[in-house]
Amino acid sequence: MTTRRIRKSYGSLAIGFLAASCILSSFAQTPPASNRQLASPALNVRVEALLKKMTLDEKVGQLAQFAAGYATGPGASNLRYDDLVAKGQLGSMLNVVGAEATNHYQHIAMEKTRLHIPILFGQDVIHGHRTTFPIPLAIAASWDPEAAELVARYGATEARADGIPWVFSPMVDIARDPRWGRIIESAGEDTYLGSMMARAWVKGYQQDDLSKPDSVAVSVKHFAAYGAAVAGRDYNAVEMGEPTLRQVYLKPYQAAVEAGAATMMSSFNSINGVPASANPFILTEILRKEWGFNGFVVSDWGAVGELKNHSIGDGPTVARKSLEAGVDMDMEGNLFGTVIADQVRSGKIPESVVDEAVRRVLRVKFALGLFEHPYVEQGPVYEATPERRAAARKVAEETFVLLKNDPVEGVGALLPLTKKTAKVVLIGPMADNQKEMLGAWAVTGDPKFAVTLRTALSERLGDKLLYAPGCGLLAGEDENVLKKVNFNGAASATGSLPVPDDAKTIAEAVLTAESADVAILALGEPTDWFEGEAGSRAHLGFTGNQEKLLEAVVGTGKPVILVVLAGRPLELKWAAGHVPAILQAWSPGVEAGHAIADVLFGDVNPSGKLPASFPRAVGQEPLYYAQLPTGRPAHGDLSHMPHNSLEKFMSRYVDEENSALFPFGWGLSYTRFSYSKPTVSRAEAPVREVLASGGDPVFTVGADVTNTGSVAGTEVVQLYIRNTAASVEQPVRELKGFSRVTLAPGETKHVEFPLGFNELSFYNAESKESVEPTTYSVWVGGSSLATLETSLRVVE
Ligand code: BGC
């Protein structure tokens, strides 16, 4: 960790969890094995002894995984799983949830198979399991790795109680294009923030010991660079130079491996023409040889079979290529299960390749203690207990980003609301929709537990709260869009359809707004179909008629507060120009309404900062602050800054600004913070000292932060650098440190950030991580627009 962190209290359970996980901080430093437990000699003696007894078919069975319950991909299989398990042909299952279901299959594996090898049950536990927390993008907006760790802890305990010792999380793909629906599962656009979050998730899930009854093994996904899909279209190809691949995209996966990740998931995309699920450079050269990863790799859903569509061979060929490249388990496709054994028998694949994959899978099963404890006790299902709800509420409150809070003439700033406000009208399709509060990846979260904003506000305001739905989420959408979202009737089944007639409800909302003192609009996009996997969008506005509704209510002249419930940066240009107060609330989880109300009324001062840039227009995408410089404008081009060059031959849009509407790191508070000019502990250091420093600091940058307002608040202090003269050009700014600092009114704290090799290095033209003599500009401030600057030099 290079940030100074402020410890908070999440209650006794959380403190216990965090204290236990802190013991492990040196764990990641042990080369060459990334996970010390998987490298244990005693464990490996057991693995070898078992491997010797296995037939080829039993070995291949360990490399097969099927979904037996909830299905997310095309072609969910209807095979008789009991039979496959009994024959030893199924080493792992996904989407089998609960003690009864998992024990059912486990009894067959343990009692009917020759070698009694337990099944490894995996599940998408993404932001909580039974108790739904905010989506990962929101958690990244807290800039609080401890929040991620805590959410992982709750997810782990709840998953384990449901018989699941393996979670398909964290997703650490860098996402710089919000057209890509899976940005909701990510930590956003930034490598440093993403790496910090990646470590925290792994630590929270795995703790220091996979065999603990409340630890789960992670599957870090989607390896690799899945978030860089061309044009933001899901599953699309990825093309980029190796320095960017390593410096920007691979770092968070590497951080997760260093934190001890037990498994990885290979991605659907190709990278520079080679599919990731058959990519020896990524899966073996980098992951295993360079990083020392010693867990196993599972493919993404059907990704091995889909290699045929990538046109790299027929079934047997692609299965061989995938296995030899370093995929060990085939998720829901059964290509490994059907074609690998024959190829070994005919001499096409050496049996040693299969053995190695089986070893990796068995190591994880042993380390999890599954051979000793294959079953789960049928205990109470954790469903949003008061203590868990309290944790979900506290995390959610940290994730909201106050984008705007301009004073209104005669009223002042609309937020925070005061209890004196006479009449509030709540309007919009997100105001009272429990399901939409959970987000697109709440597989086992139950909407009936979710608190909506309408419920929470009426608890506070009683009769003073007026309500009007305003419009649906989808009315007004193009017919083809509606056809897609209602594919197989699925959207009707999930409540997204039927589409109501909005003209009448918008008129009603306008009338209601006219009788109130202030209007709160809760708008967004449907989580089903529009967000998450396969939720790519070419337009980034509110869906349906919501913008019309917003314009109509603003047209009443009543002051409007906009609460945006969406799992991606939407295009908010009209709103930003016409609405005085905007709160970005993401998909907040089970305690959505309470948490939003706490912030709207100022019981909690907002402290979130954007983990991804919000565009002015979708045509700017991919839009991110850490851009490479251009020759036009040439000098000191911070092209993420607002600027409107009038010269023609510049790197700019004629019809839009270059800058974000709300930039990375942005977020307001109900108080104000001021910064001193940053200082640096020494002006220069020799390159050899920096090269030798690893994670140790060579320079320390410091700044004073003062709360100059009248209420307490938490500021996320951010440090950015720019390498001004490298052999490979470097981004105009890169985040290299952050710290959440809580300050009473008038209070000042000194914040320090260490800088050493880890922060100052870059990938050179030979793709080696390196430091060269140069000058670094350094900024400290409250967003990526920070202007207070110092510099430091690395010399010969
Ligand atoms: C997704 C993965 C997920 C897997 C299992 C795939 O479609 O890409 O993120 O873990 O399904 O549900």
Side-chain angles (χ1 to χ4, degrees):
M1 292 297 288
T2 50
T3 53
R4 227 180 52 167
R5 302 191 306 184
I6 308 295
R7 194 163 274 278
K8 300 171 307 292
S9 162
Y10 278 103
S12 54
L13 173 68
I15 290 171
F17 286 154
L18 297 178
S21 53
C22 285
I23 299 167
L24 250 213
S25 46
S26 60
F27 192 61
Q29 313 296 330
T30 321
S34 63
N35 185 308
R36 219 171 32 191
Q37 247 178 329
L38 300 180
S40 138
L43 182 144
N44 281 287
V45 167
R46 296 180 74 187
V47 170
E48 293 307 321
L50 180 55
L51 190 64
K52 268 202 200 105
K53 294 185 205 155
M54 295 172 79
T55 64
L56 178 59
D57 288 327
E58 285 166 338
K59 289 176 187 173
V60 169
Q62 288 302 307
L63 311 184
Q65 185 193 51
F66 276 116
Y70 175 89
T72 58
S77 174
N78 292 318
L79 292 174
R80 287 298 318 256
Y81 303 105
D82 288 4
D83 195 38
L84 284 173
V85 176
K87 287 183 184 147
Q89 288 174 5
L90 199 46
S92 175
M93 299 175 102
L94 73 150
N95 296 337
V96 179
V97 181
E100 191 185 326
T102 54
N103 286 343
H104 165 81
Y105 290 116
Q106 201 67 295
H107 275 292
I108 300 175
M110 298 310 287
E111 289 155 22
K112 299 213 172 135
T113 64
R114 200 174 69 87
L115 295 172
H116 318 293
I117 304 176
I119 296 174
L120 177 58
F121 294 101
Q123 179 67 21
D124 289 292
V125 173
I126 312 291
H127 46 114
H129 179 58
R130 297 281 179 180
T131 310
T132 308
F133 285 78
I135 52 169
L137 185 65
I139 293 172
S142 73
W143 293 55
D144 183 359
E146 287 182 5
E149 197 179 325
L150 184 85
V151 175
R153 268 302 54 235
Y154 279 112
T157 50
E158 295 184 359
R160 212 64 214 242
D162 261 343
I164 297 155
W166 182 31
V167 297
F168 304 137
S169 177
M171 191 272 228
V172 305
D173 305 327
I174 293 294
R176 293 183 154 185
D177 190 336
R179 289 175 296 179
W180 191 55
R182 302 200 77 166
I183 192 171
I184 74 148
E185 301 168 54
S186 78
E189 73 182 50
D190 188 68
T191 304
Y192 184 86
L193 178 59
S195 301
M196 288 298 171
M197 288 292 164
R199 280 179 200 280
W201 284 107
V202 174
K203 202 168 153 196
Y205 284 125
Q206 296 194 167
Q207 306 182 88
D208 55 342
D209 185 352
L210 289 170
S211 73
K212 281 188 177 167
D214 62 348
S215 286
V216 292
V218 297
S219 190
V220 178
K221 63 194 191 183
H222 305 82
F223 197 57
Y226 181 39
V230 169
R233 211 181 67 226
D234 208 0
Y235 317 121
N236 208 359
V238 168
E239 296 201 84
M240 68 175 68
E242 199 179 321
T244 300
L245 179 67
R246 286 179 177 272
Q247 189 162 323
V248 177
Y249 285 85
L250 295 188
K251 283 275 181 189
Y253 309 103
Q254 187 177 2
V257 168
E258 285 171 5
T263 86
M264 305 282 284
M265 186 184 292
S266 70
S267 55
F268 291 120
N269 56 288
S270 61
I271 304 167
N272 298 330
V274 183
S277 292
N279 194 319
F281 177 59
I282 296 289
L283 296 170
T284 296
E285 286 307 312
I286 295 182
L287 178 64
R288 294 203 161 93
K289 295 194 182 156
E290 286 185 26
W291 298 351
F293 173 72
N294 56 359
F296 74 83
V297 175
V298 61
S299 78
D300 203 342
W301 181 291
V304 176
E306 288 169 18
L307 291 170
K308 289 178 279 181
N309 300 342
H310 282 273
S311 307
I312 61 163
D314 59 9
T317 310
V318 299
R320 176 176 56 75
K321 284 188 175 177
S322 182
L323 182 73
E324 289 183 343
V327 171
D328 304 303
M329 187 183 281
D330 177 2
M331 181 193 288
E332 185 61 27
N334 206 23
L335 208 51
F336 279 8
T338 50
V339 303
I340 293 288
D342 280 350
Q343 295 190 78
V344 173
R345 288 188 189 104
S346 67
K348 287 209 176 101
I349 301 177
E351 189 159 351
S352 59
V353 176
V354 174
D355 285 353
E356 190 50 31
V358 176
R359 267 187 200 104
R360 293 170 182 155
V361 172
L362 292 179
R363 270 185 214 136
V364 174
K365 290 189 175 185
F366 276 114
L368 282 165
L370 295 183
F371 284 83
E372 291 77 23
H373 304 288
Y375 309 111
V376 59
E377 299 271 317
Q378 178 73 64
V381 172
Y382 290 111
E383 271 178 340
T385 58
E387 178 235 334
R388 282 157 197 272
R389 299 191 80 104
R393 181 169 177 168
K394 190 152 182 3
V395 171
E397 287 164 356
E398 276 192 359
T399 67
F400 303 147
V401 183
L402 183 61
L403 296 176
K404 191 180 168 194
N405 194 17
D406 282 358
V408 172
E409 229 186 289
V411 182
L414 293 184
L415 292 174
L417 290 168
T418 65
K419 302 236 162 57
K420 281 181 270 153
T421 311
K423 269 198 176 154
V424 176
V425 58
L426 176 67
I427 299 171
M430 287 293 187
D432 198 22
N433 186 329
Q434 288 179 295
K435 185 177 170 302
E436 292 298 340
M437 297 304 101
L438 298 190
W441 243 141
V443 183
T444 37
D446 189 336
K448 75 170 185 268
F449 294 114
V451 177
T452 67
L453 189 52
R454 185 184 181 192
T455 302
L457 290 181
S458 56
E459 282 167 13
R460 284 178 181 256
L461 297 170
D463 290 351
K464 283 197 317 189
L465 180 73
L466 307 174
Y467 167 70
C471 65
L473 282 167
L474 288 171
E477 282 294 336
D478 182 272
E479 200 180 315
N480 281 322
V481 175
L482 296 178
K483 270 192 203 148
K484 281 184 196 166
V485 300
N486 201 29
F487 178 63
N488 281 342
S492 331
T494 58
S496 301
L497 294 177
V499 173
D501 166 18
D502 284 348
K504 198 167 142 268
T505 49
I506 291 179
E508 282 164 8
V510 166
L511 268 183
T512 323
E514 275 162 355
S515 66
D517 299 304
V518 60
I520 301 175
L521 268 88
L523 308 181
E525 62 178 1
T527 51
D528 272 338
W529 303 94
F530 283 78
E531 292 188 344
E533 186 174 352
S536 294
R537 295 187 65 191
H539 308 276
L540 291 177
F542 294 117
T543 51
N545 288 324
Q546 294 180 85
E547 188 101 5
K548 277 192 196 149
L549 171 69
L550 179 66
E551 290 174 19
V553 177
V554 168
T556 64
K558 295 287 172 181
V560 170
I561 297 161
L562 172 62
V563 178
V564 182
L565 289 131
R568 52 153 61 91
L570 291 180
E571 204 183 289
L572 300 177
K573 192 171 172 183
W574 191 89
H578 297 85
V579 178
I582 308 178
L583 184 74
Q584 174 69 28
W586 318 104
S587 299
V590 70
E591 279 291 310
H594 287 145
I596 297 171
D598 288 345
V599 168
L600 293 180
F601 280 91
D603 300 344
V604 172
N605 195 347
S607 60
K609 299 276 186 173
L610 292 180
S613 307
F614 275 45
R616 294 170 193 277
V618 69
Q620 295 175 291
E621 297 296 346
L623 174 69
Y624 48 93
Y625 81 97
Q627 302 163 19
L628 293 174
T630 70
R632 295 180 177 198
H635 181 65
D637 175 17
L638 294 179
S639 51
H640 64 292
M641 296 288 208
H643 83 128
N644 251 327
S645 175
L646 298 181
E647 283 179 58
K648 178 169 169 60
F649 296 102
M650 304 291 264
S651 178
R652 56 150 207 193
Y653 301 103
V654 179
D655 54 359
E656 190 47 275
E657 283 195 29
N658 284 4
S659 67
L661 181 66
F662 298 109
F664 177 80
W666 179 262
L668 302 172
S669 161
Y670 296 149
T671 189
R672 289 178 310 279
F673 302 99
S674 76
Y675 285 80
S676 69
K677 191 174 175 324
T679 55
V680 62
S681 57
R682 58 199 279 199
E684 59 181 50
V687 75
R688 68 184 132 64
E689 189 183 334
V690 183
L691 285 171
S693 64
D696 296 332
V698 176
F699 302 91
T700 302
V701 176
D704 289 339
V705 191
T706 304
N707 180 347
T708 58
S710 53
V711 291
T714 298
E715 169 74 325
V716 180
V717 181
Q718 302 160 44
L719 172 131
Y720 294 86
I721 65 166
R722 179 178 187 174
N723 184 341
T724 60
S727 55
V728 170
E729 69 180 36
Q730 293 301 300
V732 295
R733 274 189 187 194
E734 289 174 288
L735 180 77
K736 292 294 176 181
F738 61 86
S739 179
R740 284 176 62 87
V741 181
T742 300
L743 295 166
E747 192 185 3
T748 296
K749 276 186 187 160
H750 183 69
V751 183
E752 291 189 343
F753 298 98
L755 296 176
F757 178 82
N758 287 351
E759 292 76 26
L760 300 175
S761 62
F762 69 99
Y763 282 85
N764 65 19
E766 284 75 50
S767 295
K768 292 278 170 297
E769 200 169 10
S770 163
V771 173
E772 297 166 354
T774 183
T775 299
Y776 294 85
S777 302
V778 179
W779 298 266
V780 176
S783 82
S784 59
L785 302 183
T787 49
L788 291 170
E789 184 176 351
T790 184
S791 67
L792 56 92
R793 282 191 309 279
V794 173
V795 294
E796 288 292 354

